[in-house]
Amino acid sequence: MNFLRGVMGGPSAGPQPSGAETIQKLCDRVASSTLLDDRRDAVRALKSLSKKYRLEVGIQAMEHLVRVLQTDRSDSEIIGYALDTLYNVISNDLEEEEQDDSEEENSPKQVDDLGSQFTEIFIKQQENVTLLLTLVEEFDFHVRWPGVKLLTSLLKQQGPQVQQIILVSPMGVSRLMDLLADSREVIRNDGVLLLQQLTKSNAAIQKIVAFENAFERLLDIITEEGNSDGGIVVEDCLLLLQNLLKNNNSNQNFFKEGSYIQRMKPWFEVGDDNCGWSAQKVTNLHLMLQLVRVLVSPTNPPGATSSCQKAMFHCGLLQQLCTILMATGVPADILTETINTVSEVIRGCQMNQDYFASVNAPSNPPRPAIVVLLMSMVNERQPFVLRCAVLYCFQCFLYKNQKGQGEIVSTLLPSTIDGNSVSAGQLLCGGLFSTDSLSNWCAAVALAHALQENATLKEQLLRVQLATSIGNPPVSLLQQCTNILSQGSKVQTRVGLLMLLCTWLSNCSIAVTHFLHNPANIPFLTGQIAENLGEEEQLVQGLCALLLGISIYYNDNSLENYRKEKLKQLIEKRIGRENFIEKLGFISKHELYSRAAQKPQPSFSSPDHMMFDHEFTKLVKELEGVISKAIYKSSEEDKKEEEVKKTLEQHDNIVTHYKKVIREQDQELEELKQQVNTLKSQNEQLQTTVTQQVSQIQQHKDQYNLLKVQLGKDNQHHNSHSDTVQMNGIQVEEVSKLKEELEEWKNKHELLQGQLREKDSLIEKLKPLQLETGTEQSSQTSKSSGLEHNNELQKELEMLRTQIQLQSAEITKLQAENQKLQVMNTSADPALGDSSATAAKNLELEGRLVQEVKDLKNEVKALSEEKASLKQHLDSSNSTVAILQDEKSKLQQEVAESKKEQDDLLVLLADQDQKLSALKNKLKDLGVPVEDEDDIESGDQADEDEDGDEEEQD
């Protein structure tokens, strides 16, 4: 009654109820009231009390509030009140008025425990989380927004447990993804915060969110908000993207394959007026750079990193980052992060490294970006983090980049030094011998990376000469390093120089010989190792031991006084083998060594901790065990090992030679196969072309025949309609023929007349001869023969006369026909004059047809010539294919012979292995200890030893 009186405004006769009593009455009202309005009022009252009486409301009302969420789904107002009340109970975000109340103020630890306990109670029943996911689907603002906040708070308190419940819930993650598409910004923004908590350290949920098109939606939100100029929403989206991509190879590949890297380029389009760098913009750009580094992190799989690096180059993202790198007015922390980002984008990618080498700073005259960065690295006035970033950038530029290493070393060689400009080599030498120990260390490490795994450059660097002072002769860079080392400078400087020398001398026998050629070096090293110094000097002693061990292991015994055996005896006398191994172990046991071995980027809390380089830790790990074994080996074992190494090197060289030959032959075969395939394709194309030309020629022939037929029809048509033209055309030709025959007959007639005259003259000659033969001596026989001859001549004369008469008759007949035709021709002349127009048209048509026929003939002729040339080209192609096939058979025969030689070589290698095993057995029989550990570790170290021996042989 007191509560009802207080609510109704009446005076209270007794004492006021406590908060716990009031909450109890409200809970009873929520549980027992049948009217929805009464329950709504009670829940609203609980909401108002939940901040002040958080513990009481959480203990007494949570069960009733969950029941309200289950039963009163139809009323959005009461659902909203219930969700707000639960959020106030579970959330640890205290309001200001609650913090001002000293009586109810809790310590941070108690607050955290209270929220975690209430969360554990709520999620104990998994149906509660499922119910909450269902409510989040409601579009009503008063339901959806409190539901999103409550679910976010649950994830903050008990993240892994709530994640697991959502993961097994049907469509649980997909329901939450719909929040990003909500048109109300407050719900969308809180949805981003919810997904941040949901995706923390859960790869399965990260993959589901990514495949629910999260990248597309988040990038759209960032673009809508203004990219780096956007507000805190952009920051939240970037944090969510980092959750999805960091250490998740599947999502990184999906991000790259979806072409989302290209959409990152506008983020870094910073204008020339870099005066408007707000705190939020700096934060956003910092997160954007970190997101780029997530995609190209050295800890990612090499293939994924390489593909992302190439995509960033092709889309122009690397170019944009280099623009920021060379811009003015960029804040120091953004510049530092940009340098680190560019470093990892170019690390191990030759294409990106070549581009970075070509970038110039906007100065007058232009200087390479590498030179400008190195100036910052060796400048002691620059911030420490910036100098570390520049060193990392230089290391990444030289990582697996022999071309870049050669360019850096070439700036130190005498033949390439340019006195008019500052080069990278000059800056490194200046930093190496400056008074700043940090510059000494950075320059030494940078120069060591220029020599990393490159024996040729190690030999070339021996040519570098330095002018120490006026009047003194120049000294080599190697000698100057050892001189500074012996002067007892700072520990950081000596550590840097010792790392440089160890890197320089490893796998390079010539450099070891040059080092040993100076008689002061070995006594200095043995003296440093033998002394008992403090903890700070132990690191230097360990590095001196490593350098001395490298001088023994890679010694080619070219100097008589510093042969391997003599150096081992020196260690045994002055230091002791056990002491030497102990000092050598100081390196790997050092705390700073362990930190540097974790990741490639140099990250140090202070300059004093800058001692070890990541790549140098790999070298120490590789050489420590090898040197320890080399110290304990006897001279005989060394000789045997050298002989075995030489034999193996010879065999390896032979095998390498044959492998090279086989590889070259395979390449030639592939090239010939490609040529054959190319010629086949060209042959097919030519055959297709010939077929097409033949079909075209046939078409033209058909068209020609058709036109010819049409021309004949037109002639018939004109002949049928123009008799006069026929008279003029055809009968004129007949008249001319008749005239020609008439001339022939006249000629024949004249010829016969000539023959007749000859006969007459012959007869006239015979008549007087006949009269004079009447002598006495002539007999009857001669008379009779003369008469017979005369009769024959008369007969011939009669025959000639008959022929002449016949011919005369024919001539008369032909003359009559000729006259008749002339009369007909004369009578036809008027008709020809009347039909002159028709004849002209016909002549024009005939001219066109004749011209078309000529054109078709010319085209057919051209096509025939083209066909002939194509056939000739086809014949030449076939001959080339035949030649290539012959060469292919020859090469296959050579490959077979090479394989046979390789098999013979393998047999030789097997015999050599048997000889080696026999030698080992003999050594065991003679009592010489043969360590089984060598056999065990030979599989692990064979590749490393062979690589070192090959470089030593080079």
Side-chain angles (χ1 to χ4, degrees):
M1 292 299 294
N2 291 333
F3 168 73
L4 294 175
R5 195 177 292 114
V7 171
M8 296 176 63
S12 64
Q16 292 292 331
S18 63
E21 295 174 351
T22 304
I23 292 169
Q24 181 62 45
K25 293 178 181 179
L26 291 172
C27 291
D28 293 341
R29 186 177 175 187
V30 171
S32 60
S33 179
T34 57
L35 296 177
L36 180 60
D37 292 338
D38 290 343
R39 295 198 301 275
R40 186 189 305 120
D41 293 338
V43 173
R44 182 168 57 238
L46 285 173
K47 175 189 172 184
S48 62
L49 295 173
S50 60
K51 293 182 181 179
K52 188 175 182 180
Y53 300 100
R54 179 183 177 190
L55 179 61
E56 291 79 0
V57 173
I59 293 174
Q60 300 183 35
M62 183 174 289
E63 183 180 354
H64 302 292
L65 293 173
V66 172
R67 190 176 296 110
V68 168
L69 296 178
Q70 295 171 347
T71 57
D72 294 329
R73 293 277 302 277
S74 59
D75 186 67
S76 61
E77 191 174 357
I78 191 173
I79 295 294
Y81 292 149
L83 291 172
D84 284 334
T85 305
L86 288 171
Y87 173 74
N88 293 336
V89 170
I90 292 175
S91 176
N92 289 326
D93 299 331
L94 300 177
E95 299 294 336
E96 293 183 359
E97 60 269 20
E98 184 179 1
Q99 294 176 358
D100 293 338
D101 191 350
S102 59
E103 293 180 358
E104 299 293 333
E105 186 179 6
N106 295 321
S107 65
K109 186 176 180 179
Q110 292 175 336
V111 171
D112 292 341
D113 292 342
L114 190 60
S116 179
Q117 290 172 3
F118 283 136
T119 301
E120 190 174 353
I121 294 172
F122 184 83
I123 67 174
K124 192 172 183 180
Q125 298 294 328
Q126 296 187 6
E127 296 81 4
N128 295 342
V129 180
T130 306
L131 176 61
L132 194 54
L133 291 173
T134 306
L135 293 174
V136 168
E137 284 188 296
E138 297 290 337
F139 186 75
D140 193 318
F141 180 81
H142 297 288
V143 176
R144 196 171 205 182
W145 188 38
V148 170
K149 293 194 296 181
L150 177 58
L151 194 54
T152 305
S153 182
L154 292 174
L155 286 165
K156 286 181 179 179
Q157 302 295 338
Q158 298 287 340
Q161 292 86 342
V162 180
Q163 285 174 345
Q164 191 61 31
I165 296 172
I166 295 175
L167 191 60
V168 299
S169 177
M171 299 295 291
V173 179
S174 300
R175 295 177 187 177
L176 300 180
M177 284 300 301
D178 294 337
L179 297 173
L180 296 180
D182 200 305
S183 58
R184 295 160 293 192
E185 289 189 2
V186 63
I187 294 180
R188 183 200 67 185
N189 298 343
D190 283 348
V192 173
L193 297 175
L194 171 60
L195 291 173
Q196 277 185 29
Q197 300 297 327
L198 180 65
T199 56
K200 278 186 178 180
S201 304
N202 193 310
I205 294 179
Q206 290 169 1
K207 292 179 182 179
I208 296 173
V209 171
F211 283 96
E212 288 285 346
N213 206 21
F215 294 138
E216 183 77 27
R217 296 183 184 181
L218 291 173
L219 292 173
D220 288 340
I221 293 173
I222 293 173
T223 304
E224 291 172 4
E225 295 292 327
N227 294 327
S228 61
D229 294 323
I232 195 170
V233 179
V234 174
E235 179 183 349
D236 294 336
C237 291
L238 292 170
L239 290 172
L240 177 55
L241 285 172
Q242 283 193 18
N243 285 352
L244 296 175
L245 293 173
K246 195 169 186 178
N247 299 324
N248 194 316
N249 300 328
S250 174
N251 283 0
Q252 290 175 6
N253 186 57
F254 181 69
F255 190 84
K256 179 185 69 69
E257 295 296 334
S259 300
Y260 295 120
I261 292 178
Q262 288 81 339
R263 297 188 60 179
M264 299 170 70
K265 181 187 174 184
W267 295 355
F268 306 102
E269 292 178 355
V270 180
D272 295 334
D273 51 343
N274 296 327
C275 55
W277 289 92
S278 63
Q280 187 61 54
K281 181 176 181 178
V282 171
T283 303
N284 291 343
L285 201 55
H286 200 275
L287 290 172
M288 290 171 177
L289 293 168
Q290 287 182 350
L291 191 62
V292 175
R293 293 184 64 185
V294 166
L295 295 172
V296 293
S297 174
T299 58
N300 295 342
T305 300
S306 177
S307 60
C308 288
Q309 288 172 333
K310 293 177 182 177
M312 290 176 184
F313 175 78
H314 291 303
C315 74
L317 180 58
L318 175 59
Q319 293 84 334
Q320 202 67 44
L321 292 173
C322 290
T323 302
I324 298 177
L325 194 66
M326 295 291 105
T328 57
V330 180
D333 53 346
I334 293 297
L335 181 60
T336 302
E337 190 64 24
T338 304
I339 295 173
N340 288 327
T341 305
V342 171
S343 304
E344 294 183 352
V345 173
I346 68 174
R347 187 177 190 269
C349 181
Q350 187 66 50
M351 177 174 55
N352 293 1
Q353 290 168 338
D354 292 341
Y355 170 77
F356 184 70
S358 65
V359 175
N360 289 325
S363 60
N364 192 13
R367 289 178 175 173
I370 298 174
V371 173
V372 176
L373 292 175
L374 288 177
M375 287 180 177
S376 301
M377 186 185 74
V378 298
N379 187 354
E380 55 185 318
R381 291 190 296 272
Q382 292 293 338
F384 172 67
V385 290
L386 179 63
R387 299 174 73 180
C388 291
V390 173
L391 176 61
Y392 184 47
C393 183
F394 191 74
Q395 292 174 351
C396 292
F397 170 68
L398 298 178
Y399 182 71
K400 294 183 179 180
N401 183 12
Q402 293 189 353
K403 179 182 176 183
Q405 290 176 325
E407 292 173 353
I408 297 298
V409 173
S410 65
T411 59
L412 286 167
L413 299 179
S415 59
T416 57
I417 293 178
D418 185 6
N420 297 326
S421 61
V422 179
S423 64
Q426 294 173 357
L427 289 172
L428 291 177
C429 283
L432 194 62
F433 307 125
S434 70
T435 57
D436 179 29
S437 61
L438 185 59
S439 297
N440 301 151
W441 190 91
C442 291
V445 171
L447 196 56
H449 276 262
L451 304 175
Q452 199 78 36
E453 298 180 357
N454 198 324
T456 304
L457 295 181
K458 292 177 182 179
E459 296 177 7
Q460 290 185 3
L461 200 63
L462 296 172
R463 298 165 45 200
V464 177
Q465 299 290 322
L466 301 176
T468 55
S469 60
I470 300 175
N472 294 329
V475 296
S476 66
L477 178 61
L478 182 65
Q479 182 62 42
Q480 185 66 15
C481 290
T482 55
N483 291 341
I484 296 175
L485 193 62
S486 61
Q487 292 174 2
S489 54
K490 294 182 180 179
V491 174
Q492 192 175 40
T493 301
R494 284 182 288 162
V495 168
L497 291 172
L498 285 168
M499 287 195 298
L500 171 60
L501 292 174
C502 290
T503 305
W504 194 346
L505 269 59
S506 63
N507 293 316
C508 185
S509 300
I510 298 177
V512 172
T513 303
H514 278 258
F515 179 76
L516 296 176
H517 192 72
N518 186 355
N521 290 336
I522 296 300
F524 169 74
L525 293 179
T526 54
Q528 287 286 319
I529 300 170
E531 291 182 3
N532 292 322
L533 304 174
E535 295 182 0
E536 294 182 356
E537 295 293 333
Q538 287 182 353
L539 186 57
V540 176
Q541 287 182 319
L543 292 171
C544 289
L546 179 64
L547 183 58
L548 183 57
I550 291 173
S551 301
I552 296 173
Y553 185 73
Y554 293 104
N555 191 348
D556 58 357
N557 294 327
S558 58
L559 295 178
E560 185 64 29
N561 294 331
Y562 296 102
R563 297 175 63 85
K564 286 185 178 181
E565 188 61 30
K566 291 186 177 181
L567 291 176
K568 291 179 185 179
Q569 293 175 0
L570 183 65
I571 291 175
E572 179 67 24
K573 293 178 180 179
R574 295 191 180 181
I575 304 172
R577 293 181 180 179
E578 291 77 8
N579 190 23
F580 179 85
I581 299 300
E582 182 183 359
K583 297 293 178 67
L584 183 62
F586 284 163
I587 303 175
S588 57
K589 295 177 182 178
H590 203 280
E591 180 184 0
L592 298 178
Y593 174 90
S594 302
R595 291 182 185 177
Q598 293 176 359
K599 58 181 181 179
Q601 182 182 359
S603 56
F604 305 99
S605 56
S606 67
D608 296 335
H609 293 164
M610 209 169 189
M611 288 293 176
F612 285 107
D613 173 58
H614 179 75
E615 293 297 327
F616 181 74
T617 60
K618 294 181 180 179
L619 182 66
V620 173
K621 187 177 181 181
E622 175 186 349
L623 294 177
E624 187 176 4
V626 176
I627 291 173
S628 300
K629 292 179 182 179
I631 294 298
Y632 284 101
K633 284 183 180 179
S634 62
S635 59
E636 294 179 356
E637 291 176 349
D638 287 337
K639 290 180 181 179
K640 291 179 181 179
E641 185 178 354
E642 288 179 0
E643 291 177 358
V644 172
K645 284 182 179 180
K646 289 180 180 179
T647 306
L648 292 176
E649 284 177 4
Q650 292 175 358
H651 289 303
D652 290 339
N653 292 333
I654 296 172
V655 173
T656 305
H657 172 69
Y658 280 109
K659 284 182 179 179
K660 184 178 180 181
V661 172
I662 293 171
R663 193 180 299 111
E664 291 176 353
Q665 291 176 350
D666 289 339
Q667 291 177 356
E668 291 178 358
L669 282 175
E670 290 297 328
E671 292 177 357
L672 291 174
K673 286 180 181 178
Q674 292 177 359
Q675 291 179 3
V676 170
N677 293 331
T678 304
L679 291 173
K680 284 183 179 179
S681 62
Q682 290 179 357
N683 188 12
E684 292 175 356
Q685 291 177 358
L686 291 173
Q687 288 179 352
T688 305
T689 306
V690 169
T691 306
Q692 293 176 354
Q693 295 292 341
V694 170
S695 63
Q696 289 180 1
I697 291 171
Q698 187 62 38
Q699 290 178 0
H700 288 304
K701 285 183 178 180
D702 296 339
Q703 292 178 0
Y704 172 72
N705 294 329
L706 182 62
L707 289 172
K708 191 174 181 181
V709 172
Q710 290 180 355
L711 179 61
K713 290 182 179 179
D714 292 339
N715 287 334
Q716 292 177 4
H717 177 72
H718 289 297
N719 291 334
S720 63
H721 290 285
S722 180
D723 294 337
T724 306
V725 175
Q726 186 180 12
M727 177 71 70
N728 187 31
I730 299 176
Q731 292 192 3
V732 169
E733 293 178 357
E734 292 180 356
V735 170
S736 62
K737 289 180 180 180
L738 290 173
K739 286 182 178 180
E740 290 176 357
E741 290 179 0
L742 182 62
E743 292 295 330
E744 289 179 359
W745 284 113
K746 284 181 179 181
N747 293 330
K748 288 180 180 181
H749 179 67
E750 291 177 355
L751 180 62
L752 290 174
Q753 284 182 350
Q755 291 178 357
L756 182 60
R757 283 193 296 271
E758 290 178 357
K759 297 294 184 180
D760 288 339
S761 64
L762 181 62
I763 291 171
E764 291 297 331
K765 290 179 180 180
L766 290 174
K767 283 181 178 181
L769 182 62
Q770 186 179 5
L771 292 175
E772 291 178 357
T773 58
T775 58
E776 293 179 354
Q777 298 176 351
S778 60
S779 62
Q780 186 64 31
T781 306
S782 63
K783 290 182 179 178
S784 61
S785 63
L787 290 172
E788 289 177 358
H789 184 68
N790 190 14
N791 291 331
E792 290 178 357
L793 291 174
Q794 287 180 355
K795 288 180 181 180
E796 289 181 359
L797 181 62
E798 291 295 331
M799 288 177 65
L800 290 172
R801 288 177 179 175
T802 304
Q803 290 180 357
I804 291 170
Q805 289 176 359
L806 291 174
Q807 289 179 356
S808 299
E810 287 182 2
I811 289 170
T812 305
K813 184 179 179 181
L814 290 172
Q815 287 177 349
E817 289 179 358
N818 186 14
Q819 290 176 358
K820 184 177 179 181
L821 289 172
Q822 286 179 354
V823 171
M824 291 175 65
N825 191 12
T826 305
S827 64
D829 286 340
L832 287 171
D834 295 336
S835 61
S836 61
T838 306
K841 291 182 180 179
N842 291 331
L843 290 173
E844 183 180 0
L845 181 61
E846 288 176 1
R848 290 180 182 177
L849 292 173
V850 170
Q851 185 64 33
E852 290 179 358
V853 169
K854 288 182 179 179
D855 295 338
L856 288 172
K857 287 182 178 179
N858 292 332
E859 188 174 358
V860 169
K861 183 178 179 181
L863 292 173
S864 301
E865 293 176 354
E866 187 175 0
K867 179 181 177 182
S869 65
L870 290 173
K871 286 183 178 179
Q872 184 178 2
H873 187 67
L874 180 60
D875 295 336
S876 65
S877 300
N878 291 331
S879 63
T880 306
V881 170
I883 293 171
L884 291 174
Q885 288 178 350
D886 293 337
E887 292 179 357
K888 178 182 177 182
S889 62
K890 291 179 182 179
L891 289 173
Q892 287 177 347
Q893 184 176 2
E894 291 178 0
V895 170
E897 293 176 358
S898 300
K899 288 183 178 179
K900 184 178 179 181
E901 292 176 358
Q902 188 176 8
D903 294 335
D904 296 337
L905 178 62
L906 292 174
V907 172
L908 290 175
L909 290 175
D911 294 337
Q912 184 64 33
D913 291 335
Q914 291 178 358
K915 291 179 181 179
L916 290 175
S917 60
L919 289 174
K920 287 184 179 179
N921 293 329
K922 288 181 180 181
L923 289 173
K924 290 180 180 179
D925 295 335
L926 293 173
V928 178
V930 180
E931 296 180 3
D932 294 335
E933 184 179 357
D934 293 340
D935 298 333
I936 296 172
E937 294 181 358
S938 62
D940 296 331
Q941 297 180 354
D943 294 337
E944 299 173 354
D945 294 338
E946 288 175 4
D947 293 339
D949 294 335
E950 288 178 2
E951 293 181 357
E952 180 178 354
Q953 184 67 27
D954 294 337

